[in-house]
Amino acid sequence: MLGEKYFKLDMSYWGRSQRLVIQILCIWALAAYGLPALVLETNKMRIMGFPLGYYNCAQVLPMFFGFLLLVFNGVQEGIEADQTDGKPAVEAGSSSALNAMLAKVYVAYTGGFIFFVLFLGFLEAVGVPDQAIGILFVIFTLGMYAAIGIASRTSKSDDFYVAGRNVPPIFNGMATAADWMSGASFVGMAGALYALGYDGLAYIIGWTGGYVLVSTVIAPYLRRFGSFTVPEFIASRYQGTMQLPGGKVVELSGVSRFLATIVLLSCSFTYLTAQVYSTGVIVSRFIGIQFEVAVFSGLIGVLFCSLLGGMRAVTYTQVAQYVILIIAYTVPAICMSTTQDDGFNKNNPVQFLAYGGTLQQITLREKELVLLGLASEVTPYLEPKWRRVDFFALSFCLMVGTASLPHVLMRYFTTPSVRSARRSVTWSLGFILVLYMTAPAYAAFAKLEVYTNVIGTPLSVLPQWIFTYGKIGLTTVCGKAVTSVNEAVEACAQATGDDYLLKLKDLKISKDAMVIATPEIAGLPYTIAGLVSAGGLAASLSTADGLLLAISNALSHDIYFRLIDNKASIQKRLMISRVLLVVIALISAGTAASRPADILSMVAWAFSLAASGNFPALCLGIWWRRANAQGAIAGQICGWGLTLAYLLGTRYGG
């Protein structure tokens, strides 16, 4: 533990806090691994049409994690109240006036956005071309983000690095949720569930369960320390010197800071590339420009806020982006759920309760496809395909990675107090659950639609969306990205489009296309598809903003200011940070334009690198008094180095 020197609290506080954390983590681990371990047995039982095992992992576990954080917050605040003789902690820098003002602004903003969507729906009804509606969506949202960036511009170091440390918990929770729910979550999560079925739930369990670790083990204590960046905390915690064989004395804090920055760069740049890639996918689809051009044009929205106002501008932009992305994600799912009449649900608008019958229909259709000769075999959607150890290992990696990602942890440096940081984590998970509890419904509705209305249809009547997404390489028919019926007929080596029924193996849909394509797959109005594009763009830009800040702040503050020129003025440091923002953004765009691995895989790299390089040093630095600089440095080198070698070896080394 950091102890009294840093936390200024007596050991009874630490003893009670430790016991509480251990109790919460035991319950967390039992639930996170107990329910998935019993999935085959519990899937035999049904609740509202759902196989119980699947429903436990898709809906019950994420909600239970949120409940666990509420319990933890209540008990921990009671422990802290005992330290202050029952007096509530003073929230320096926060006020009800700021909360009220922000609430009015964002309620008005939400109402304006809803009116704008309805207006575009009217334009579609009167015949305005689809592409014009898509362009209006992109222009409006980017314009709003730019306006917030201009209004939040700053030249103060506290505002630029940590938003003045006065962001209220609920709004910091929304900003963190937007920062977290990247293009990978928005674009890739439902696609992973569509492709993997039950096994894809490892991502949901891992990413929601990780916030229990963030709240109980890491975030509040980082906020109490008061640093600007994660590498700064690690450098300050791990002090000491070491004499080299030649007699030179090395400051170990500088070494640990440098290594922490390397870890930050590797995981954040990987994550950033994924966001820029997803931005290119969305912009190229809805504006109709080349993918490579779309990637670089998306940088304008990313850079505008970061350059002008740093963390302050990014925070309030991310709140606005959360509003758009969550509306965009839930509205299509609600529209699809209200059309369900499956014996269990009829016109049920609560999407995460309305797809139990859909799952049963998917199971029946899987058997029909084999009987009709449309598939030689179908991997059951609701049953585990991976070994259980692989499922558990992936979810654990994602949990620990969540508690180690620098761009997420730095969000909790912006709150007024430790209590606010803890509450922010709970708000964050609450806002994130809205999307993650909707993703399984999204995937199920799309799966049934494709199985029922696409597989088994003649090539001559294939839906237009297959050709639309074939133009940007996100769908293939018989192994080729086709843009017309004639190309589909040629790809499948058929004489005419009427003679051949599309088989399951013939159609491939990229996981990265599933969410943006689902409104068109389901036959919803194009305005809904445009809304989804605006939401996906908001998700990618919000995370890219946070990642760019994490990278540039680490380089300017931890490398340049702390290790190169510790006398640099605030103005010079901010100027260097802004230059680095532009350089890093251009490099990430160039990498994304080369179309690397799919989005979800790239993000999984980031979690692995963050978990192996950051988590041991952070966790032990907080909770183990005897953790020292030599051990932390050895752990950073070995953990991060082995993980990087494994990732590169399995991806590129055969």
Side-chain angles (χ1 to χ4, degrees):
M1 291 182 299
L2 292 181
E4 301 94 329
K5 176 181 177 182
Y6 296 104
F7 285 44
K8 299 179 181 178
L9 294 168
D10 64 39
M11 294 310 294
S12 66
Y13 168 87
W14 282 109
R16 294 174 66 190
S17 295
Q18 280 182 316
R19 286 193 294 273
L20 174 62
V21 168
I22 291 171
Q23 290 166 357
I24 292 292
L25 291 182
C26 286
I27 297 170
W28 163 81
L30 184 64
Y33 295 101
L35 291 181
L38 299 173
V39 66
L40 288 175
E41 293 76 15
T42 52
N43 261 350
K44 298 173 183 177
M45 296 178 274
R46 301 279 172 176
I47 177 172
M48 297 181 293
F50 290 93
L52 183 60
Y54 185 94
Y55 190 75
N56 282 340
C57 296
Q59 315 289 165
V60 174
L61 262 181
M63 288 191 292
F64 178 75
F65 293 146
F67 172 75
L68 207 56
L69 287 191
L70 290 174
V71 172
F72 172 72
N73 285 352
V75 178
Q76 185 64 44
E77 288 179 13
I79 294 173
E80 291 173 355
D82 290 344
Q83 289 292 316
T84 56
D85 298 325
K87 298 176 182 178
V90 177
E91 298 276 318
S94 68
S95 68
S96 57
L98 177 61
N99 257 321
M101 184 272 290
L102 291 174
K104 290 178 182 178
V105 169
Y106 286 110
V107 166
Y109 167 82
T110 304
F113 179 70
I114 293 173
F115 176 80
F116 175 73
V117 173
L118 294 175
F119 174 70
L120 291 186
F122 168 76
L123 293 182
E124 180 182 6
V126 298
V128 173
D130 290 349
Q131 189 171 355
I133 292 174
I135 291 173
L136 286 174
F137 261 120
V138 172
I139 291 175
F140 174 82
T141 52
L142 289 180
M144 288 298 300
Y145 305 152
I148 296 172
I150 293 171
S152 304
R153 63 190 182 278
T154 184
S155 58
K156 296 179 180 179
S157 60
D158 271 10
D159 284 344
F160 192 88
Y161 288 120
V162 289
R165 298 196 196 275
N166 66 350
V167 182
I170 185 170
F171 293 102
N172 195 54
M174 293 178 75
T176 305
D179 203 346
W180 170 260
M181 290 190 297
S182 58
S185 291
F186 192 98
V187 176
M189 187 67 259
L193 291 170
Y194 176 93
L196 299 174
Y198 168 81
D199 291 331
L201 296 178
Y203 289 98
I204 289 181
I205 294 171
W207 284 339
T208 56
Y211 274 87
V212 178
L213 289 178
V214 173
S215 183
T216 58
V217 178
I218 303 291
Y221 309 100
L222 292 185
R223 173 60 188 89
R224 188 183 297 279
F225 189 77
S227 57
F228 278 167
T229 65
V230 171
E232 184 174 35
F233 168 82
I234 289 177
S236 300
R237 169 60 179 86
Y238 295 108
Q239 302 281 337
T241 60
M242 184 176 70
Q243 187 172 3
L244 299 179
K248 184 178 180 180
V249 176
V250 177
E251 286 286 343
L252 295 180
S253 64
V255 177
S256 62
R257 182 191 297 273
F258 177 77
L259 291 173
T261 304
I262 294 298
V263 173
L264 182 150
L265 291 175
S266 63
C267 62
S268 296
F269 186 79
T270 306
Y271 212 151
L272 175 62
T273 301
Q275 308 320 307
V276 178
Y277 175 87
S278 60
T279 299
V281 169
I282 294 165
V283 173
S284 63
R285 163 64 185 93
F286 287 94
I287 293 185
I289 59 178
Q290 188 177 353
F291 173 78
E292 291 75 11
V293 177
V295 164
F296 283 94
S297 63
L299 287 181
I300 298 173
V302 174
L303 287 172
F304 208 89
C305 295
S306 304
L307 284 172
L308 288 175
M311 180 60 82
R312 181 185 177 192
V314 166
T315 295
Y316 294 118
T317 303
Q318 286 174 335
V319 176
Q321 288 166 331
Y322 176 81
V323 171
I324 290 180
L325 73 87
I326 209 64
I327 291 174
Y329 203 86
T330 56
V331 166
I334 291 171
C335 290
M336 289 185 286
S337 69
T338 55
T339 65
Q340 302 302 306
D341 186 2
D342 52 25
F344 299 95
N345 295 279
K346 184 174 183 179
N347 309 125
N348 184 353
V350 185
Q351 67 274 17
F352 52 82
L353 297 177
Y355 67 101
T358 301
L359 293 176
Q360 292 197 23
Q361 290 177 325
I362 290 172
T363 301
L364 294 175
R365 184 60 178 164
E366 288 171 344
K367 298 175 182 177
E368 288 179 0
L369 293 177
V370 176
L371 292 174
L372 295 172
L374 297 172
S376 56
E377 62 176 355
V378 180
T379 304
Y381 187 73
L382 299 178
E383 296 179 11
K385 278 75 71 181
W386 297 345
R387 296 180 304 166
R388 290 187 182 182
V389 66
D390 294 330
F391 186 96
F392 294 154
L394 175 59
S395 62
F396 179 76
C397 172
L398 297 175
M399 288 174 182
V400 177
T402 298
S404 311
L405 284 176
H407 78 283
V408 172
L409 295 179
M410 67 186 287
R411 285 243 47 94
Y412 302 110
F413 297 153
T414 67
T415 58
S417 68
V418 174
R419 183 174 68 170
S420 294
R422 201 161 39 238
R423 290 181 174 183
S424 286
V425 180
T426 306
W427 279 112
S428 302
L429 182 56
F431 290 125
I432 289 167
L433 286 179
V434 179
L435 186 146
Y436 279 2
M437 291 178 65
T438 301
Y442 226 120
F445 294 146
K447 191 83 169 180
L448 183 62
E449 188 71 27
V450 170
Y451 275 4
T452 304
N453 296 325
V454 179
I455 305 303
T457 60
L459 296 180
S460 58
V461 294
L462 288 179
Q464 181 60 38
W465 62 265
I466 291 179
F467 307 130
T468 300
Y469 289 94
K471 292 177 182 178
I472 54 177
L474 295 180
T475 58
T476 62
V477 174
C478 296
K480 295 183 179 180
V482 300
T483 60
S484 66
V485 170
N486 291 337
E487 289 184 14
V489 171
E490 182 180 347
C492 296
Q494 300 299 312
T496 69
D498 296 320
D499 300 331
Y500 184 78
L501 301 182
L502 189 71
K503 294 181 171 58
L504 182 62
K505 66 180 179 62
D506 297 331
L507 179 65
K508 302 296 181 185
I509 306 173
S510 168
K511 295 191 292 289
D512 301 336
M514 185 50 57
V515 166
I516 55 176
T518 293
E520 293 165 269
I521 293 173
L524 298 176
Y526 185 82
T527 299
I528 301 296
L531 174 63
V532 171
S533 74
L537 195 59
S540 298
L541 294 179
S542 61
T543 304
D545 279 330
L547 290 163
L548 273 175
L549 273 182
I551 296 172
S552 65
N553 289 354
L555 290 175
S556 64
H557 182 75
D558 290 296
I559 299 298
Y560 179 77
F561 177 60
R562 295 297 185 183
L563 300 181
I564 298 175
D565 182 8
N566 58 12
K567 296 181 181 179
S569 65
I570 291 175
Q571 290 74 19
K572 187 174 183 180
R573 288 156 54 195
L574 294 182
M575 183 270 291
I576 289 173
S577 185
R578 287 176 168 124
V579 170
L580 288 169
L581 278 171
V582 176
V583 173
I584 296 160
L586 291 174
I587 295 173
S588 67
T591 306
S594 66
R595 298 176 184 260
D598 69 87
I599 293 175
L600 209 62
S601 296
M602 294 173 66
V603 171
W605 278 39
F607 282 81
S608 300
L609 294 170
S612 60
N614 275 344
F615 187 77
L618 288 171
C619 184
L620 296 179
I622 292 169
W623 292 98
W624 191 33
R625 188 189 296 274
R626 294 175 59 193
N628 58 38
Q630 291 88 340
I633 291 170
Q636 288 173 303
I637 293 173
C638 294
W640 178 81
L642 287 173
T643 301
L644 183 64
Y646 172 79
L647 292 171
L648 294 176
T650 52
R651 180 71 187 176
Y652 302 109

